[in-house]
Amino acid sequence: MNVLCSCVVLISGICCIYATGRNQKNDESAEFWNKFAGDELKKAKRTKPNIAVAKNVIMFLGDGMGVSTVTAGRILKGQLNGRTGEEELLSFEEFPHVALSKTYNSDSQTADSAGTATAFLSGVKTNLGVLGVDARVIRKDCASMVESTKLQSILHWSKAAGKSVGIVSTARITHATPAAAYAQTADRNWENDEDMIESNCSIKDIARQLVEDNPDIEVILGGGRSKFLLNNTMDPQNGLITDGRLDKDLTQVWQETQHTKNRAYKYVWNQTDFNSVDPASTDYLLGLFNKGHMSFEIDRQNEDEPSIAEMTKKAIEILSKNDKGFFLLVEGGRIDHGHHYSQAVRALHETLAMADAVQEAVKMTKESDTLIVTTADHSHVFTIGGYPTRGNPIFGLTDDREGGYKLGDDGKPMTTLLYSNGPGGYSDVNATTRPDLTGVATDTKDYRQQSAVKIYSETHGGEDVAIYARGPMSHLFHGVHEQNYIAHVMAYASCVGSYSSPDSCAMADVAEITSSGTSSMLNKVLILISFVITFNCL
């Protein structure tokens, strides 16, 4: 009865935190926090390794989603729901296993999205700016790119194992992260043939590699129509295409290929057509929803584009029809872009949108047979500081606990969120003083947070990023890992690629557990018999 009462008190206290919002007094006592921690400890003790083969693997990649972005994102989530925010959790933060990933490239202390994506999808670290090749390839140097330098990704490994595969991104589908799943190139920027005019290279551009060399990818959803459509033709949504292809319309090539293979396919370019796609009768889906990157989530309501959660749901519905399982890559690509613009409002709303997509995947799959990994390719030089009180608006000015604002040595207020470099902060490149933020609406989507060093585009950060995992073999994410380790765990768990034989993947662990379970029971019986004999002898 006492245990039950304690649980009721604990749950009531937790509910009070979530319900009362800022300035709550429910969590001030030592009793509350001791009970809260005790409950978390009990939950941790119940966590057991999931020793099973992963039928499905879903990788969520928050581009640029460093730890500070996750923290600020969770605070924003709580505040949007009328709470203080600090106590909140994003969907993937509730996963049982968390580790850290070292993101450096083979030739760069601070990474880019091409080298990192190659690492976590192909299992091999490589240089900044190259895709699907090892570090022997020098960026833009086609001569250094020979057959032995080319890599296959977990998408290829999964396809070879008979699984269905898919790619979802809010960026151009030929952008660095999604491209690393299917392309091999000496420069991430060679997205279409027009991009390669000055390269003097004979290799295919990234869009051609997707359509011509990877026609068996079941689901492709994202932005970037201009990399597939002909130059000087009309985009169905955005007018004349001036950065398009010079050779052929690849959306037509893709459709002709699927038709020739007698497949049930659909090509869509807006949300209306996307919504009409019936997963039960569609086996192959290509969706290109913007001429360039898809719209930021905070702007999307004015556009005819599906959300990342909606694309994830549709992808899982189509891919789940394969009895052998599937691999799905989902990228929240515009978190990164919001940070590059020093627009934290856009970056954090993108983070929440991706967390919604993760939650959708959790609802649609079973933890027993689906490994879900959520991580980032790199961080950003994005900080949270200034000693604001709990519940202070995350996009607001830092308060001083006395009803005013925390001031810098220049006598001017500052925001809680800042960048160490970026385009924000000074109205003029030659400005020697920091602008006064008094009365400035710092919570609007176009506001650029101030930075210490003015630069046209804020840069990536070099610190470790987090890995959040649940499902079969997720416990293998357990400490500080090199980023390429991620691909190996996913392959090991799903028995694909170099881990495809039963004795080299999770299947062997399952067999060992099964056999050891039988011998363990026998050992327990023998120990009991020994104890009885010993006791009787005494």
Side-chain angles (χ1 to χ4, degrees):
M1 186 63 180
N2 290 335
V3 173
L4 177 60
C5 291
S6 297
C7 289
V8 170
V9 171
L10 175 61
I11 293 171
S12 299
I14 294 173
C15 289
C16 286
I17 281 187
Y18 280 74
T20 58
R22 189 179 179 186
N23 297 326
Q24 79 294 325
K25 299 293 184 182
N26 308 88
D27 61 349
E28 291 181 346
S29 70
E31 180 185 14
F32 174 89
W33 287 111
N34 286 331
K35 289 178 179 178
F36 192 95
D39 186 65
E40 190 167 355
L41 179 59
K42 290 174 185 176
K43 181 180 177 181
K45 288 168 63 178
R46 292 195 298 269
T47 302
K48 305 296 181 184
N50 184 341
I51 307 296
V53 176
K55 176 182 177 181
N56 312 309
V57 174
I58 306 175
M59 181 176 194
F60 284 93
L61 193 284
D63 197 317
M65 191 181 70
V67 171
S68 59
T69 299
V70 174
T71 302
R74 83 164 76 105
I75 294 173
L76 173 60
K77 177 186 174 185
Q79 293 184 351
L80 289 174
N81 288 286
R83 299 187 283 272
T84 56
E86 293 84 357
E87 68 286 342
E88 193 64 65
L89 286 176
L90 300 179
S91 58
F92 50 83
E93 292 186 281
E94 299 187 59
F95 288 2
H97 300 288
V98 181
L100 292 176
S101 167
K102 297 160 67 177
T103 64
Y104 67 93
N105 294 145
S106 295
D107 63 345
S108 184
Q109 193 173 76
T110 299
D112 91 314
S113 296
T116 52
T118 300
F120 60 68
L121 290 172
S122 297
V124 175
K125 284 233 178 197
T126 192
N127 295 328
L128 183 146
V130 302
L131 286 169
V133 292
D134 66 29
R136 289 174 290 174
V137 174
I138 301 169
R139 187 173 187 179
K140 297 183 183 295
D141 182 359
C142 290
S144 66
M145 185 177 158
V146 297
E147 196 63 32
S148 63
T149 64
K150 296 180 181 179
L151 303 171
Q152 296 282 293
S153 78
I154 188 170
L155 180 141
H156 298 121
W157 307 334
S158 299
K159 196 67 190 175
K163 297 176 181 287
S164 293
V165 296
I167 305 170
V168 171
S169 178
T170 54
R172 293 190 301 270
I173 206 68
T174 50
H175 209 236
T177 299
Y182 59 83
Q184 296 94 19
T185 183
D187 195 324
R188 58 174 287 178
N189 292 328
W190 293 341
E191 296 183 49
N192 70 5
D193 58 344
E194 195 268 345
D195 297 328
M196 298 186 66
I197 291 176
E198 298 178 1
S199 70
N200 295 317
C201 282
S202 59
I203 63 173
K204 292 181 181 180
D205 60 81
I206 293 170
R208 272 189 69 196
Q209 289 190 48
L210 174 59
V211 171
E212 295 181 356
D213 300 344
N214 295 274
D216 298 330
I217 298 175
E218 281 84 354
V219 177
I220 305 167
L221 300 173
R225 280 195 305 268
S226 67
K227 303 303 179 182
F228 295 80
L229 301 179
L230 281 169
N231 203 27
N232 293 318
T233 59
M234 296 300 292
D235 182 87
Q237 187 180 39
N238 301 111
L240 186 69
I241 296 174
T242 58
D243 58 347
R245 302 194 63 82
L246 305 177
D247 55 0
K248 51 193 167 185
D249 182 336
L250 289 182
T251 64
Q252 289 296 326
V253 174
W254 183 86
Q255 292 176 82
E256 290 165 4
T257 300
Q258 305 307 324
H259 179 74
T260 300
K261 292 177 177 287
N262 198 29
R263 290 170 169 168
Y265 68 91
K266 287 274 187 154
Y267 165 63
V268 296
W269 61 268
N270 58 60
Q271 179 157 24
T272 303
D273 290 344
F274 171 82
N275 290 343
S276 70
V277 173
D278 180 6
S281 60
T282 304
D283 298 327
Y284 289 80
L285 176 61
L286 171 62
L288 300 173
F289 302 108
N290 198 299
K291 178 182 174 182
H293 298 304
M294 292 181 68
S295 299
F296 282 106
E297 178 64 20
I298 202 166
D299 303 317
R300 188 181 60 83
Q301 58 267 32
N302 299 320
E303 304 295 338
D304 197 12
E305 302 175 12
S307 69
I308 186 172
E310 291 169 333
M311 292 191 291
T312 298
K313 182 176 186 293
K314 189 84 73 175
I316 293 174
E317 288 172 337
I318 292 174
L319 300 177
S320 294
K321 294 186 294 183
N322 188 337
D323 291 338
K324 293 184 178 180
F326 64 84
F327 170 78
L328 174 62
L329 170 66
V330 181
E331 183 201 21
R334 307 226 64 191
I335 300 170
D336 177 71
H337 301 153
H339 281 318
H340 279 308
Y341 302 155
S342 291
Q343 293 176 334
V345 171
R346 284 195 161 93
L348 297 187
H349 278 277
E350 289 297 305
T351 303
L352 299 190
M354 199 192 79
D356 288 342
V358 174
Q359 186 59 44
E360 188 66 45
V362 168
K363 288 193 303 184
M364 296 180 69
T365 58
K366 296 183 294 185
E367 190 170 4
S368 60
D369 69 1
T370 301
L371 172 63
I372 301 179
V373 179
T374 302
T375 187
D377 46 359
H378 53 74
S379 184
H380 276 267
V381 291
F382 172 67
T383 64
I384 310 170
Y387 306 115
T389 57
R390 181 172 174 181
N392 192 59
I394 191 63
F395 296 125
L397 300 179
T398 305
D399 61 1
D400 66 357
R401 301 173 182 272
E402 297 177 0
Y405 294 116
K406 179 82 172 175
L407 303 180
D409 286 352
D410 56 5
K412 299 171 185 176
M414 59 184 176
T415 52
T416 300
L417 304 179
L418 293 166
Y419 292 92
S420 66
N421 61 50
Y426 297 89
S427 57
D428 185 271
V429 70
N430 297 315
T432 57
T433 59
R434 188 170 65 96
D436 191 343
L437 296 178
T438 303
V440 175
T442 58
D443 59 350
T444 63
K445 63 185 180 182
D446 293 321
Y447 174 75
R448 299 182 192 273
Q449 273 70 22
Q450 294 180 336
S451 54
V453 177
K454 186 175 177 63
I455 187 173
Y456 77 98
S457 177
E458 179 265 1
T459 72
H460 296 168
E463 72 271 21
D464 297 350
V465 297
I467 308 167
Y468 310 86
R470 64 168 252 164
M473 297 295 165
S474 56
H475 63 284
L476 297 180
F477 295 110
H478 64 97
V480 180
H481 304 293
E482 293 288 356
Q483 194 167 44
N484 64 302
Y485 175 77
I486 298 171
H488 288 263
V489 173
M490 294 190 297
Y492 182 85
S494 56
C495 296
V496 301
S498 59
Y499 302 97
S500 58
S501 63
D503 60 347
S504 67
C505 72
M507 198 174 296
D509 290 343
V510 174
E512 181 180 347
I513 289 293
T514 302
S515 60
S516 66
T518 303
S519 60
S520 176
M521 181 60 69
L522 179 60
N523 287 336
K524 289 178 181 177
V525 172
L526 293 175
I527 290 171
L528 179 60
I529 293 173
S530 175
F531 175 79
V532 171
I533 292 173
T534 302
F535 181 79
N536 287 336
C537 288
L538 293 174

